[in-house]
Amino acid sequence: CFARKVEGAMKDKFYERHAIIAKDPDYQARHINKNELKKYAADFTTIYNKAWAGHGGLKEMHVEVMLKTFQKMKAIMDEKIIWFAYYKGQPIAMWVNIPDVNQWFKYLNGKFDLFAKLKFLWVKATKNCSRFNGVVFGVIPEFQGMGVDNYIIVEGSKIIQFKLKYEEYEMQWIGDFNPKMINIGENLEASRNRILTTYRYLFDRTKEFKRHPILL
């Protein structure tokens, strides 16, 4: 996991590469709209299937599944921290973040009954969440290496850094086999604040153990 303060400029190359993309009117970036979840579920699915399906055994995603996920997320969703990039109207990249809900859930004392759900809505409306977490970031293969990653981050930062109240950002669950995402974290001048370890036990001890392959 990489973390950094929300305030403060990024490296110059983020803005330089953003400027190149932004000159082309065929590129657009915008945050999600809760009233159009079906559209954004379709956009998410398109990007996911092009960027991840087939890698490491990951299966193709269906729009209906992602729509249900977005609907479940709706109560905690902050529209202005979930971003999509488009080229000629077609989805090419996404940057999906959520508030650090633990800052709200701590007031519920481990309960989530009807009263707790009502209390959660009150807490969410009255208690500021100072941290948000990166969940998914991806660019479809045809647009990788062109600066689209810098473009979507800078476009999002125009609102996140100057119009929202978040103070900290954490990029979560970046595999050590994913050098491209590690590079983004380091270029954002974020520090490695946590290391999460996944363990696997082979019940058939004759099977060969293989680490996840490096993503090229």
PDB file of all heavy atoms in Angstrom, residues 94-122:
ATOM      1  N   MET A  94     -10.073   4.004 -15.715  1.00  0.00           N
ATOM      2  CA  MET A  94     -10.871   4.289 -14.520  1.00  0.00           C
ATOM      3  C   MET A  94      -9.970   4.393 -13.299  1.00  0.00           C
ATOM      4  O   MET A  94      -8.900   3.770 -13.217  1.00  0.00           O
ATOM      5  CB  MET A  94     -11.917   3.197 -14.300  1.00  0.00           C
ATOM      6  CG  MET A  94     -11.377   1.806 -14.130  1.00  0.00           C
ATOM      7  SD  MET A  94     -12.751   0.622 -14.001  1.00  0.00           S
ATOM      8  CE  MET A  94     -11.864  -0.944 -14.058  1.00  0.00           C
ATOM      9  N   TRP A  95     -10.424   5.213 -12.368  1.00  0.00           N
ATOM     10  CA  TRP A  95      -9.723   5.444 -11.102  1.00  0.00           C
ATOM     11  C   TRP A  95     -10.802   5.429 -10.026  1.00  0.00           C
ATOM     12  O   TRP A  95     -11.512   6.394  -9.841  1.00  0.00           O
ATOM     13  CB  TRP A  95      -8.988   6.768 -11.158  1.00  0.00           C
ATOM     14  CG  TRP A  95      -8.179   7.098  -9.947  1.00  0.00           C
ATOM     15  CD1 TRP A  95      -7.608   6.225  -9.066  1.00  0.00           C
ATOM     16  CD2 TRP A  95      -7.843   8.410  -9.490  1.00  0.00           C
ATOM     17  NE1 TRP A  95      -6.935   6.912  -8.081  1.00  0.00           N
ATOM     18  CE2 TRP A  95      -7.053   8.247  -8.324  1.00  0.00           C
ATOM     19  CE3 TRP A  95      -8.118   9.703  -9.959  1.00  0.00           C
ATOM     20  CZ2 TRP A  95      -6.557   9.340  -7.616  1.00  0.00           C
ATOM     21  CZ3 TRP A  95      -7.622  10.777  -9.249  1.00  0.00           C
ATOM     22  CH2 TRP A  95      -6.844  10.611  -8.088  1.00  0.00           C
ATOM     23  N   VAL A  96     -10.941   4.294  -9.353  1.00  0.00           N
ATOM     24  CA  VAL A  96     -12.046   4.079  -8.411  1.00  0.00           C
ATOM     25  C   VAL A  96     -11.531   4.156  -6.980  1.00  0.00           C
ATOM     26  O   VAL A  96     -10.632   3.402  -6.578  1.00  0.00           O
ATOM     27  CB  VAL A  96     -12.721   2.713  -8.652  1.00  0.00           C
ATOM     28  CG1 VAL A  96     -13.861   2.508  -7.665  1.00  0.00           C
ATOM     29  CG2 VAL A  96     -13.236   2.622 -10.095  1.00  0.00           C
ATOM     30  N   ASN A  97     -12.106   5.064  -6.207  1.00  0.00           N
ATOM     31  CA  ASN A  97     -11.741   5.265  -4.809  1.00  0.00           C
ATOM     32  C   ASN A  97     -12.990   5.281  -3.941  1.00  0.00           C
ATOM     33  O   ASN A  97     -14.085   5.564  -4.420  1.00  0.00           O
ATOM     34  CB  ASN A  97     -11.008   6.604  -4.645  1.00  0.00           C
ATOM     35  CG  ASN A  97      -9.824   6.755  -5.575  1.00  0.00           C
ATOM     36  OD1 ASN A  97      -8.795   6.121  -5.381  1.00  0.00           O
ATOM     37  ND2 ASN A  97      -9.961   7.586  -6.605  1.00  0.00           N
ATOM     38  N   ILE A  98     -12.804   4.999  -2.662  1.00  0.00           N
ATOM     39  CA  ILE A  98     -13.907   5.085  -1.706  1.00  0.00           C
ATOM     40  C   ILE A  98     -13.406   5.762  -0.427  1.00  0.00           C
ATOM     41  O   ILE A  98     -12.209   5.712  -0.115  1.00  0.00           O
ATOM     42  CB  ILE A  98     -14.494   3.696  -1.352  1.00  0.00           C
ATOM     43  CG1 ILE A  98     -13.411   2.788  -0.737  1.00  0.00           C
ATOM     44  CG2 ILE A  98     -15.144   3.049  -2.552  1.00  0.00           C
ATOM     45  CD1 ILE A  98     -13.941   1.481  -0.190  1.00  0.00           C
ATOM     46  N   PRO A  99     -14.291   6.411   0.307  1.00  0.00           N
ATOM     47  CA  PRO A  99     -13.881   6.972   1.603  1.00  0.00           C
ATOM     48  C   PRO A  99     -13.428   5.848   2.541  1.00  0.00           C
ATOM     49  O   PRO A  99     -13.854   4.700   2.402  1.00  0.00           O
ATOM     50  CB  PRO A  99     -15.169   7.631   2.115  1.00  0.00           C
ATOM     51  CG  PRO A  99     -16.027   7.812   0.907  1.00  0.00           C
ATOM     52  CD  PRO A  99     -15.699   6.676  -0.004  1.00  0.00           C
ATOM     53  N   ASP A 100     -12.583   6.191   3.496  1.00  0.00           N
ATOM     54  CA  ASP A 100     -12.167   5.219   4.501  1.00  0.00           C
ATOM     55  C   ASP A 100     -13.337   5.037   5.479  1.00  0.00           C
ATOM     56  O   ASP A 100     -13.461   5.769   6.463  1.00  0.00           O
ATOM     57  CB  ASP A 100     -10.925   5.722   5.244  1.00  0.00           C
ATOM     58  CG  ASP A 100     -10.425   4.732   6.281  1.00  0.00           C
ATOM     59  OD1 ASP A 100     -11.054   3.659   6.444  1.00  0.00           O
ATOM     60  OD2 ASP A 100      -9.416   5.021   6.948  1.00  0.00           O
ATOM     61  N   VAL A 101     -14.189   4.059   5.179  1.00  0.00           N
ATOM     62  CA  VAL A 101     -15.443   3.902   5.934  1.00  0.00           C
ATOM     63  C   VAL A 101     -15.213   3.532   7.391  1.00  0.00           C
ATOM     64  O   VAL A 101     -16.112   3.698   8.226  1.00  0.00           O
ATOM     65  CB  VAL A 101     -16.356   2.849   5.275  1.00  0.00           C
ATOM     66  CG1 VAL A 101     -16.841   3.348   3.920  1.00  0.00           C
ATOM     67  CG2 VAL A 101     -15.638   1.509   5.121  1.00  0.00           C
ATOM     68  N   ASN A 102     -14.011   3.061   7.728  1.00  0.00           N
ATOM     69  CA  ASN A 102     -13.738   2.739   9.134  1.00  0.00           C
ATOM     70  C   ASN A 102     -13.854   3.984  10.017  1.00  0.00           C
ATOM     71  O   ASN A 102     -14.144   3.874  11.214  1.00  0.00           O
ATOM     72  CB  ASN A 102     -12.346   2.122   9.284  1.00  0.00           C
ATOM     73  CG  ASN A 102     -12.286   0.728   8.698  1.00  0.00           C
ATOM     74  OD1 ASN A 102     -13.235  -0.042   8.805  1.00  0.00           O
ATOM     75  ND2 ASN A 102     -11.179   0.395   8.061  1.00  0.00           N
ATOM     76  N   GLN A 103     -13.632   5.152   9.432  1.00  0.00           N
ATOM     77  CA  GLN A 103     -13.766   6.383  10.206  1.00  0.00           C
ATOM     78  C   GLN A 103     -15.222   6.641  10.593  1.00  0.00           C
ATOM     79  O   GLN A 103     -15.492   7.386  11.522  1.00  0.00           O
ATOM     80  CB  GLN A 103     -13.214   7.567   9.408  1.00  0.00           C
ATOM     81  CG  GLN A 103     -11.705   7.503   9.203  1.00  0.00           C
ATOM     82  CD  GLN A 103     -11.146   8.801   8.638  1.00  0.00           C
ATOM     83  OE1 GLN A 103     -11.826   9.820   8.555  1.00  0.00           O
ATOM     84  NE2 GLN A 103      -9.880   8.774   8.259  1.00  0.00           N
ATOM     85  N   TRP A 104     -16.140   6.054   9.858  1.00  0.00           N
ATOM     86  CA  TRP A 104     -17.567   6.162  10.196  1.00  0.00           C
ATOM     87  C   TRP A 104     -18.044   4.943  10.983  1.00  0.00           C
ATOM     88  O   TRP A 104     -18.795   5.067  11.950  1.00  0.00           O
ATOM     89  CB  TRP A 104     -18.407   6.299   8.924  1.00  0.00           C
ATOM     90  CG  TRP A 104     -18.197   7.571   8.174  1.00  0.00           C
ATOM     91  CD1 TRP A 104     -17.982   8.814   8.716  1.00  0.00           C
ATOM     92  CD2 TRP A 104     -18.191   7.754   6.759  1.00  0.00           C
ATOM     93  NE1 TRP A 104     -17.849   9.750   7.717  1.00  0.00           N
ATOM     94  CE2 TRP A 104     -17.979   9.130   6.511  1.00  0.00           C
ATOM     95  CE3 TRP A 104     -18.356   6.893   5.677  1.00  0.00           C
ATOM     96  CZ2 TRP A 104     -17.914   9.667   5.223  1.00  0.00           C
ATOM     97  CZ3 TRP A 104     -18.302   7.424   4.388  1.00  0.00           C
ATOM     98  CH2 TRP A 104     -18.079   8.793   4.175  1.00  0.00           C
ATOM     99  N   PHE A 105     -17.604   3.758  10.584  1.00  0.00           N
ATOM    100  CA  PHE A 105     -18.077   2.525  11.220  1.00  0.00           C
ATOM    101  C   PHE A 105     -17.680   2.433  12.688  1.00  0.00           C
ATOM    102  O   PHE A 105     -18.341   1.742  13.465  1.00  0.00           O
ATOM    103  CB  PHE A 105     -17.549   1.302  10.470  1.00  0.00           C
ATOM    104  CG  PHE A 105     -18.240   1.049   9.150  1.00  0.00           C
ATOM    105  CD1 PHE A 105     -17.701   0.184   8.220  1.00  0.00           C
ATOM    106  CD2 PHE A 105     -19.437   1.671   8.836  1.00  0.00           C
ATOM    107  CE1 PHE A 105     -18.321  -0.044   7.000  1.00  0.00           C
ATOM    108  CE2 PHE A 105     -20.077   1.459   7.626  1.00  0.00           C
ATOM    109  CZ  PHE A 105     -19.515   0.588   6.704  1.00  0.00           C
ATOM    110  N   LYS A 106     -16.615   3.116  13.090  1.00  0.00           N
ATOM    111  CA  LYS A 106     -16.179   3.021  14.485  1.00  0.00           C
ATOM    112  C   LYS A 106     -17.248   3.539  15.455  1.00  0.00           C
ATOM    113  O   LYS A 106     -17.250   3.191  16.638  1.00  0.00           O
ATOM    114  CB  LYS A 106     -14.871   3.781  14.686  1.00  0.00           C
ATOM    115  CG  LYS A 106     -14.975   5.287  14.505  1.00  0.00           C
ATOM    116  CD  LYS A 106     -13.618   5.949  14.669  1.00  0.00           C
ATOM    117  CE  LYS A 106     -13.704   7.463  14.490  1.00  0.00           C
ATOM    118  NZ  LYS A 106     -12.356   8.093  14.624  1.00  0.00           N
ATOM    119  N   TYR A 107     -18.163   4.348  14.939  1.00  0.00           N
ATOM    120  CA  TYR A 107     -19.227   4.880  15.796  1.00  0.00           C
ATOM    121  C   TYR A 107     -20.383   3.895  15.972  1.00  0.00           C
ATOM    122  O   TYR A 107     -21.280   4.137  16.775  1.00  0.00           O
ATOM    123  CB  TYR A 107     -19.777   6.187  15.211  1.00  0.00           C
ATOM    124  CG  TYR A 107     -18.774   7.316  15.190  1.00  0.00           C
ATOM    125  CD1 TYR A 107     -18.080   7.643  14.033  1.00  0.00           C
ATOM    126  CD2 TYR A 107     -18.514   8.067  16.341  1.00  0.00           C
ATOM    127  CE1 TYR A 107     -17.167   8.681  13.999  1.00  0.00           C
ATOM    128  CE2 TYR A 107     -17.592   9.101  16.327  1.00  0.00           C
ATOM    129  CZ  TYR A 107     -16.921   9.409  15.153  1.00  0.00           C
ATOM    130  OH  TYR A 107     -16.004  10.442  15.137  1.00  0.00           O
ATOM    131  N   LEU A 108     -20.371   2.798  15.226  1.00  0.00           N
ATOM    132  CA  LEU A 108     -21.487   1.858  15.260  1.00  0.00           C
ATOM    133  C   LEU A 108     -21.277   0.708  16.243  1.00  0.00           C
ATOM    134  O   LEU A 108     -22.149  -0.141  16.410  1.00  0.00           O
ATOM    135  CB  LEU A 108     -21.732   1.287  13.858  1.00  0.00           C
ATOM    136  CG  LEU A 108     -21.955   2.311  12.743  1.00  0.00           C
ATOM    137  CD1 LEU A 108     -22.273   1.599  11.438  1.00  0.00           C
ATOM    138  CD2 LEU A 108     -23.059   3.300  13.107  1.00  0.00           C
ATOM    139  N   ASN A 109     -20.103   0.645  16.864  1.00  0.00           N
ATOM    140  CA  ASN A 109     -19.803  -0.380  17.874  1.00  0.00           C
ATOM    141  C   ASN A 109     -20.008  -1.804  17.356  1.00  0.00           C
ATOM    142  O   ASN A 109     -20.521  -2.674  18.063  1.00  0.00           O
ATOM    143  CB  ASN A 109     -20.658  -0.155  19.130  1.00  0.00           C
ATOM    144  CG  ASN A 109     -20.401   1.200  19.769  1.00  0.00           C
ATOM    145  OD1 ASN A 109     -19.253   1.627  19.892  1.00  0.00           O
ATOM    146  ND2 ASN A 109     -21.457   1.894  20.130  1.00  0.00           N
ATOM    147  N   GLY A 110     -19.629  -2.019  16.112  1.00  0.00           N
ATOM    148  CA  GLY A 110     -19.692  -3.369  15.548  1.00  0.00           C
ATOM    149  C   GLY A 110     -21.075  -3.839  15.163  1.00  0.00           C
ATOM    150  O   GLY A 110     -21.255  -4.994  14.794  1.00  0.00           O
ATOM    151  N   LYS A 111     -22.072  -2.942  15.208  1.00  0.00           N
ATOM    152  CA  LYS A 111     -23.444  -3.338  14.884  1.00  0.00           C
ATOM    153  C   LYS A 111     -23.845  -2.758  13.528  1.00  0.00           C
ATOM    154  O   LYS A 111     -23.347  -1.716  13.111  1.00  0.00           O
ATOM    155  CB  LYS A 111     -24.404  -2.844  15.964  1.00  0.00           C
ATOM    156  CG  LYS A 111     -24.123  -3.411  17.347  1.00  0.00           C
ATOM    157  CD  LYS A 111     -25.076  -2.825  18.379  1.00  0.00           C
ATOM    158  CE  LYS A 111     -24.780  -3.377  19.763  1.00  0.00           C
ATOM    159  NZ  LYS A 111     -25.682  -2.787  20.792  1.00  0.00           N
ATOM    160  N   PHE A 112     -24.769  -3.448  12.853  1.00  0.00           N
ATOM    161  CA  PHE A 112     -25.288  -2.906  11.600  1.00  0.00           C
ATOM    162  C   PHE A 112     -26.748  -3.313  11.419  1.00  0.00           C
ATOM    163  O   PHE A 112     -27.174  -3.716  10.343  1.00  0.00           O
ATOM    164  CB  PHE A 112     -24.434  -3.348  10.412  1.00  0.00           C
ATOM    165  CG  PHE A 112     -24.407  -2.319   9.314  1.00  0.00           C
ATOM    166  CD1 PHE A 112     -23.930  -1.036   9.549  1.00  0.00           C
ATOM    167  CD2 PHE A 112     -24.871  -2.619   8.048  1.00  0.00           C
ATOM    168  CE1 PHE A 112     -23.909  -0.073   8.542  1.00  0.00           C
ATOM    169  CE2 PHE A 112     -24.869  -1.674   7.029  1.00  0.00           C
ATOM    170  CZ  PHE A 112     -24.379  -0.396   7.283  1.00  0.00           C
ATOM    171  N   ASP A 113     -27.516  -3.203  12.501  1.00  0.00           N
ATOM    172  CA  ASP A 113     -28.951  -3.442  12.427  1.00  0.00           C
ATOM    173  C   ASP A 113     -29.625  -2.177  11.887  1.00  0.00           C
ATOM    174  O   ASP A 113     -28.955  -1.234  11.462  1.00  0.00           O
ATOM    175  CB  ASP A 113     -29.505  -3.818  13.800  1.00  0.00           C
ATOM    176  CG  ASP A 113     -29.137  -2.820  14.888  1.00  0.00           C
ATOM    177  OD1 ASP A 113     -28.764  -1.674  14.540  1.00  0.00           O
ATOM    178  OD2 ASP A 113     -29.201  -3.159  16.073  1.00  0.00           O
ATOM    179  N   LEU A 114     -30.935  -2.147  11.887  1.00  0.00           N
ATOM    180  CA  LEU A 114     -31.661  -1.008  11.316  1.00  0.00           C
ATOM    181  C   LEU A 114     -31.282   0.295  12.005  1.00  0.00           C
ATOM    182  O   LEU A 114     -31.039   1.311  11.341  1.00  0.00           O
ATOM    183  CB  LEU A 114     -33.171  -1.241  11.419  1.00  0.00           C
ATOM    184  CG  LEU A 114     -34.050  -0.095  10.875  1.00  0.00           C
ATOM    185  CD1 LEU A 114     -33.764   0.155   9.406  1.00  0.00           C
ATOM    186  CD2 LEU A 114     -35.526  -0.429  11.086  1.00  0.00           C
ATOM    187  N   PHE A 115     -31.206   0.257  13.341  1.00  0.00           N
ATOM    188  CA  PHE A 115     -30.849   1.482  14.073  1.00  0.00           C
ATOM    189  C   PHE A 115     -29.430   1.920  13.697  1.00  0.00           C
ATOM    190  O   PHE A 115     -29.163   3.111  13.506  1.00  0.00           O
ATOM    191  CB  PHE A 115     -30.943   1.250  15.579  1.00  0.00           C
ATOM    192  CG  PHE A 115     -30.486   2.428  16.387  1.00  0.00           C
ATOM    193  CD1 PHE A 115     -31.286   3.560  16.505  1.00  0.00           C
ATOM    194  CD2 PHE A 115     -29.238   2.417  17.011  1.00  0.00           C
ATOM    195  CE1 PHE A 115     -30.849   4.661  17.241  1.00  0.00           C
ATOM    196  CE2 PHE A 115     -28.801   3.520  17.741  1.00  0.00           C
ATOM    197  CZ  PHE A 115     -29.610   4.638  17.852  1.00  0.00           C
ATOM    198  N   ALA A 116     -28.528   0.945  13.592  1.00  0.00           N
ATOM    199  CA  ALA A 116     -27.142   1.268  13.249  1.00  0.00           C
ATOM    200  C   ALA A 116     -27.045   1.867  11.844  1.00  0.00           C
ATOM    201  O   ALA A 116     -26.242   2.763  11.593  1.00  0.00           O
ATOM    202  CB  ALA A 116     -26.271   0.028  13.359  1.00  0.00           C
ATOM    203  N   LYS A 117     -27.868   1.363  10.927  1.00  0.00           N
ATOM    204  CA  LYS A 117     -27.861   1.905   9.558  1.00  0.00           C
ATOM    205  C   LYS A 117     -28.327   3.362   9.557  1.00  0.00           C
ATOM    206  O   LYS A 117     -27.769   4.198   8.838  1.00  0.00           O
ATOM    207  CB  LYS A 117     -28.760   1.049   8.661  1.00  0.00           C
ATOM    208  CG  LYS A 117     -28.186  -0.334   8.367  1.00  0.00           C
ATOM    209  CD  LYS A 117     -29.131  -1.154   7.487  1.00  0.00           C
ATOM    210  CE  LYS A 117     -28.541  -2.531   7.215  1.00  0.00           C
ATOM    211  NZ  LYS A 117     -29.447  -3.359   6.386  1.00  0.00           N
ATOM    212  N   LEU A 118     -29.347   3.656  10.367  1.00  0.00           N
ATOM    213  CA  LEU A 118     -29.817   5.029  10.466  1.00  0.00           C
ATOM    214  C   LEU A 118     -28.744   5.910  11.113  1.00  0.00           C
ATOM    215  O   LEU A 118     -28.516   7.046  10.686  1.00  0.00           O
ATOM    216  CB  LEU A 118     -31.115   5.089  11.278  1.00  0.00           C
ATOM    217  CG  LEU A 118     -32.328   4.416  10.632  1.00  0.00           C
ATOM    218  CD1 LEU A 118     -33.503   4.401  11.603  1.00  0.00           C
ATOM    219  CD2 LEU A 118     -32.721   5.130   9.338  1.00  0.00           C
ATOM    220  N   LYS A 119     -28.080   5.354  12.114  1.00  0.00           N
ATOM    221  CA  LYS A 119     -27.008   6.094  12.783  1.00  0.00           C
ATOM    222  C   LYS A 119     -25.862   6.341  11.812  1.00  0.00           C
ATOM    223  O   LYS A 119     -25.243   7.412  11.825  1.00  0.00           O
ATOM    224  CB  LYS A 119     -26.509   5.312  14.003  1.00  0.00           C
ATOM    225  CG  LYS A 119     -25.461   6.073  14.806  1.00  0.00           C
ATOM    226  CD  LYS A 119     -25.025   5.289  16.043  1.00  0.00           C
ATOM    227  CE  LYS A 119     -23.978   6.068  16.830  1.00  0.00           C
ATOM    228  NZ  LYS A 119     -23.535   5.317  18.035  1.00  0.00           N
ATOM    229  N   PHE A 120     -25.593   5.344  10.957  1.00  0.00           N
ATOM    230  CA  PHE A 120     -24.523   5.494   9.971  1.00  0.00           C
ATOM    231  C   PHE A 120     -24.799   6.681   9.051  1.00  0.00           C
ATOM    232  O   PHE A 120     -23.903   7.474   8.750  1.00  0.00           O
ATOM    233  CB  PHE A 120     -24.383   4.223   9.141  1.00  0.00           C
ATOM    234  CG  PHE A 120     -23.479   4.377   7.945  1.00  0.00           C
ATOM    235  CD1 PHE A 120     -22.102   4.389   8.106  1.00  0.00           C
ATOM    236  CD2 PHE A 120     -24.006   4.523   6.666  1.00  0.00           C
ATOM    237  CE1 PHE A 120     -21.262   4.550   7.008  1.00  0.00           C
ATOM    238  CE2 PHE A 120     -23.178   4.690   5.575  1.00  0.00           C
ATOM    239  CZ  PHE A 120     -21.803   4.699   5.742  1.00  0.00           C
ATOM    240  N   LEU A 121     -26.039   6.822   8.602  1.00  0.00           N
ATOM    241  CA  LEU A 121     -26.389   7.934   7.722  1.00  0.00           C
ATOM    242  C   LEU A 121     -26.185   9.271   8.435  1.00  0.00           C
ATOM    243  O   LEU A 121     -25.735  10.253   7.827  1.00  0.00           O
ATOM    244  CB  LEU A 121     -27.845   7.798   7.255  1.00  0.00           C
ATOM    245  CG  LEU A 121     -28.145   6.591   6.355  1.00  0.00           C
ATOM    246  CD1 LEU A 121     -29.633   6.514   6.058  1.00  0.00           C
ATOM    247  CD2 LEU A 121     -27.340   6.670   5.059  1.00  0.00           C
ATOM    248  N   TRP A 122     -26.505   9.298   9.731  1.00  0.00           N
ATOM    249  CA  TRP A 122     -26.299  10.525  10.512  1.00  0.00           C
ATOM    250  C   TRP A 122     -24.805  10.814  10.669  1.00  0.00           C
ATOM    251  O   TRP A 122     -24.357  11.954  10.481  1.00  0.00           O
ATOM    252  CB  TRP A 122     -26.958  10.386  11.880  1.00  0.00           C
ATOM    253  CG  TRP A 122     -26.700  11.582  12.766  1.00  0.00           C
ATOM    254  CD1 TRP A 122     -27.352  12.780  12.746  1.00  0.00           C
ATOM    255  CD2 TRP A 122     -25.700  11.681  13.791  1.00  0.00           C
ATOM    256  NE1 TRP A 122     -26.823  13.630  13.689  1.00  0.00           N
ATOM    257  CE2 TRP A 122     -25.812  12.979  14.347  1.00  0.00           C
ATOM    258  CE3 TRP A 122     -24.741  10.799  14.299  1.00  0.00           C
ATOM    259  CZ2 TRP A 122     -24.977  13.412  15.379  1.00  0.00           C
ATOM    260  CZ3 TRP A 122     -23.917  11.233  15.324  1.00  0.00           C
ATOM    261  CH2 TRP A 122     -24.042  12.522  15.864  1.00  0.00           C
TER     262      TRP A 122
END
